[in-house]
Amino acid sequence: MLTTNPFDPAYGDKLREECGIFGIWGAATASALVALGLHALQHRGQEAAGITSWDGNSFHSHRAMGHVAGNFDRDDIIRRLAGGAAIGHVRYSTTGETALRNVQPLFAELASGGFAVAHNGNISNAMKLRRELNRRGSIFQSTSDTEVIIHLVATSTYRTLLDRFIDALKQVEGAYSLVCLTSEGVIACRDPLGIRPLVMGRLGDAYIFASETVALDVVGATYIRSVEPGELVVVSEKGVKSHRPFASVRPRPCIFEHVYFSRPDSIVDGSSVYSVRKQIGAELARENPVDADFVVPVPDSGVPAAIGYAQESGIPFELGIIRSHYVGRTFIQPSDHVRHLGVKLKHNANIALIQGKKLVLIDDSIVRGTTSLKIVQMLREAGAREVHMRIASPPTRHSCFYGVDTPERAGLLAAQMNVPEMSDYIKADSLAFLSIDGLYRALGEDARDEAQPQHCDACFTGDYPTRLTDHEEHEPADQLALLAERYA
């Protein structure tokens, strides 16, 4: 169910990546390695997980609601997921129903044999394609946009599975990084703009694909390279082969991977996420200085930027907020009073440190502003003399249609208020954001190229790199219903 108030605390106050993917070919314990890899990607999706394996004769699948731990740390489940090849997926549901039928990998028996797919991203013309496929007789088993790919493969008239798969991808718009499992091999691919990340590694004779390099690290694999935008990599008994079936375009990988989504110990498009976030903090300090006693991060996502801000400004870095790591995002109580207190279950002020002090509070972003309001209030109640909030990204004014859980613009604080109004709303002494050019400088660019942007930064600029067919074909009044159907 969609809540009617876009600033309701039940929504949460962070952008949420919808999924992480992991695939391996050529390992004796493939499913166990996939489970470990999914553990490392748990931050990308915490509501469901699944693994599909191939043992040379049969496919085996297990999908479950909840975390990887508790579902895939049982020996009996891993034993049932037999074989030397496997793919896996962790997922966030967004608006709409959380249902097992939408948990990936999705699997189907095609005329050519079994086909499983795990998807990170969002197909922005999925509803249009689904209507066309329904008219042609396709029967869908889920409400996931990913299932469209399976039906496009199944109905393609090309001869080989690889050609049918390429034919399917040429019909979709939006963002996708995919790992697919067939009886002949693993296929990994990335959309032509490279919006969502995908990397390739090696462990002995086995090849691995994952959303982030940390998933390679946890299984002891060696990072080889990123799968290039528009590239398909096929791994089989015949070896590794790269295909580039799409017209070449200038890549635009998601810039928010560097701000928040990826783990700080990952390498994204050749850059250390941790180093970039520290540089973001340094840029923020140069652009938006403030007289204060301490630099305090909103843990954990604000920590690297706060370190960079402190080093650049010379203001001491301190843990003025302590985070509990044992509270999930689903803790929502019916009482408004108890819900209000819920922020202290996750974040608590370090009273002895901050009492009477002027603070620079660093966070990665403001989405709805609900958490920022509560944290500023908590610091004031703990005795902070001044709270100046600095945000390590530009204002988030636009929705994402490429695989990130963002509200409609009506639910984005920066789309409804200017910065002084936002500062008043969260009750900070001052509020400032990193500029878009400052974000690009932190990534080693001189500035954003207005004619040919180097990244997908649509959540900040509204400059979407692809058509948004499903969105454009619906009137604004239909948008909540559209999202409910898309993400059911």
Side-chain angles (χ1 to χ4, degrees):
M1 287 290 293
L2 288 169
T3 184
T4 57
N5 177 6
F7 298 110
D8 191 306
Y11 265 119
D13 197 26
K14 289 291 182 185
L15 300 181
R16 299 192 184 276
E17 176 67 87
E18 280 189 61
C19 47
I21 58 177
F22 190 98
I24 186 168
W25 175 271
T29 56
S31 61
L33 292 171
V34 172
L36 287 172
L38 294 181
H39 270 287
L41 298 173
Q42 187 74 86
H43 60 288
R44 299 183 76 91
Q46 298 182 31
E47 290 191 1
I51 296 176
T52 299
S53 69
W54 164 250
D55 66 6
N57 294 300
S58 303
F59 289 89
H60 310 275
S61 292
H62 183 77
R63 301 180 298 159
M65 309 307 300
H67 288 189
V68 178
N71 285 311
F72 291 97
D73 53 1
R74 290 167 43 191
D75 288 342
D76 59 324
I77 290 176
I78 296 300
R79 282 198 300 271
R80 287 201 299 271
L81 295 168
I87 63 173
H89 188 271
V90 288
R91 176 181 185 262
Y92 264 127
S93 68
T94 54
T95 52
E97 176 191 16
T98 299
L100 188 61
R101 62 177 177 164
N102 290 327
V103 179
Q104 299 182 33
L106 298 182
F107 175 81
E109 287 285 357
L110 307 181
S112 57
F115 182 81
V117 59
H119 172 206
N120 175 23
N122 189 71
I123 298 171
S124 57
N125 65 336
M127 292 178 64
K128 180 179 181 181
L129 291 171
R130 187 183 182 108
R131 288 193 297 268
E132 293 171 353
L133 287 161
N134 281 147
R135 285 194 291 267
R136 287 156 51 187
S138 291
I139 301 173
F140 283 76
Q141 301 299 312
S142 77
T143 55
S144 168
D145 61 342
T146 308
E147 191 179 356
V148 166
I149 295 172
I150 293 176
H151 286 273
L152 289 173
V153 173
T155 58
S156 173
T157 58
Y158 282 82
R159 187 177 63 85
T160 69
L161 176 61
L162 182 61
D163 286 339
R164 291 199 298 273
F165 183 57
I166 293 170
D167 179 41
L169 295 184
K170 287 184 175 181
Q171 299 177 62
V172 304
E173 300 168 0
Y176 55 83
S177 285
L178 303 167
V179 287
C180 307
L181 179 64
T182 76
S183 59
E184 298 178 358
V186 167
I187 306 170
C189 67
R190 199 172 172 197
D191 69 77
L193 291 167
I195 296 174
R196 301 261 66 89
L198 190 62
V199 298
M200 180 178 180
R202 189 167 184 176
L203 180 64
D205 294 329
Y207 285 90
I208 299 175
F209 301 93
S211 293
E212 294 184 38
T213 58
V214 289
L216 303 179
D217 298 338
V218 77
V219 300
T222 301
Y223 169 63
I224 298 174
R225 62 179 177 87
S226 291
V227 175
E228 297 296 325
E231 181 183 19
L232 277 76
V233 181
V234 180
V235 182
S236 68
E237 296 294 346
K238 299 176 182 178
V240 180
K241 189 168 183 180
S242 173
H243 303 265
R244 297 181 183 273
F246 306 107
S248 179
V249 294
R250 183 167 180 168
R252 288 187 63 179
C254 173
I255 204 166
F256 218 91
E257 290 286 346
H258 297 280
V259 174
Y260 175 68
F261 294 140
S262 294
R263 266 179 43 168
D265 46 342
S266 282
I267 306 295
V268 173
D269 294 321
S271 297
S272 159
V273 174
Y274 179 74
S275 296
V276 168
R277 288 179 187 167
K278 282 181 62 181
Q279 190 57 41
I280 285 173
E283 289 287 344
L284 186 60
R286 287 190 282 270
E287 289 186 355
N288 300 291
V290 64
D291 177 30
D293 297 307
F294 298 137
V295 175
V296 173
V298 177
D300 289 321
S301 58
V303 170
I307 293 172
Y309 192 105
Q311 291 175 347
E312 178 65 24
S313 67
I315 301 172
F317 170 94
E318 293 287 357
L319 295 178
I321 301 171
I322 306 303
R323 180 188 173 190
S324 169
H325 292 267
Y326 303 100
V327 179
R329 65 183 285 244
T330 56
F331 184 86
I332 299 169
Q333 292 291 338
S335 163
D336 288 340
H337 174 67
V338 175
R339 183 185 288 127
H340 174 73
L341 293 176
V343 70
K344 291 190 175 183
L345 290 174
K346 189 171 183 179
H347 297 112
N348 194 42
N350 188 349
I351 296 175
L353 175 76
I354 68 174
Q355 199 164 31
K357 297 297 191 293
K358 296 185 291 184
L359 309 179
V360 185
L361 183 63
I362 308 292
D363 204 356
D364 58 88
S365 61
I366 291 180
V367 181
R368 298 177 179 91
T370 51
T371 298
S372 302
L373 171 64
K374 291 177 183 178
I375 287 178
V376 170
Q377 181 179 348
M378 178 182 69
L379 294 174
R380 291 201 187 283
E381 291 173 351
R385 183 150 55 104
E386 295 178 12
V387 181
H388 300 272
M389 195 154 198
R390 298 293 181 264
I391 304 300
S393 63
T396 303
R397 294 193 172 100
H398 304 272
S399 299
C400 177
F401 296 93
Y402 300 121
V404 177
D405 174 16
T406 46
E408 277 294 286
R409 292 197 72 199
L412 294 170
L413 194 66
Q416 309 304 317
M417 301 179 185
N418 60 33
V419 174
E421 290 170 338
M422 294 174 71
S423 183
D424 289 342
Y425 177 82
I426 67 172
K427 296 179 170 54
D429 289 281
S430 70
L431 171 66
F433 292 80
L434 183 67
S435 70
I436 190 69
D437 285 342
L439 181 54
Y440 274 84
R441 285 194 297 270
L443 284 161
E445 305 282 350
D446 292 333
R448 183 181 191 266
D449 185 337
E450 296 292 335
Q452 291 186 309
Q454 306 93 307
H455 293 269
C456 178
D457 51 24
C459 55
F460 305 131
T461 65
D463 181 4
Y464 295 98
T466 74
R467 286 192 60 195
L468 303 174
T469 297
D470 291 343
H471 180 76
E472 292 164 357
E473 289 184 354
H474 288 73
E475 295 297 324
D478 296 331
Q479 290 307 312
L480 288 178
L482 167 64
L483 288 174
E485 180 177 350
R486 174 182 289 159
Y487 294 123

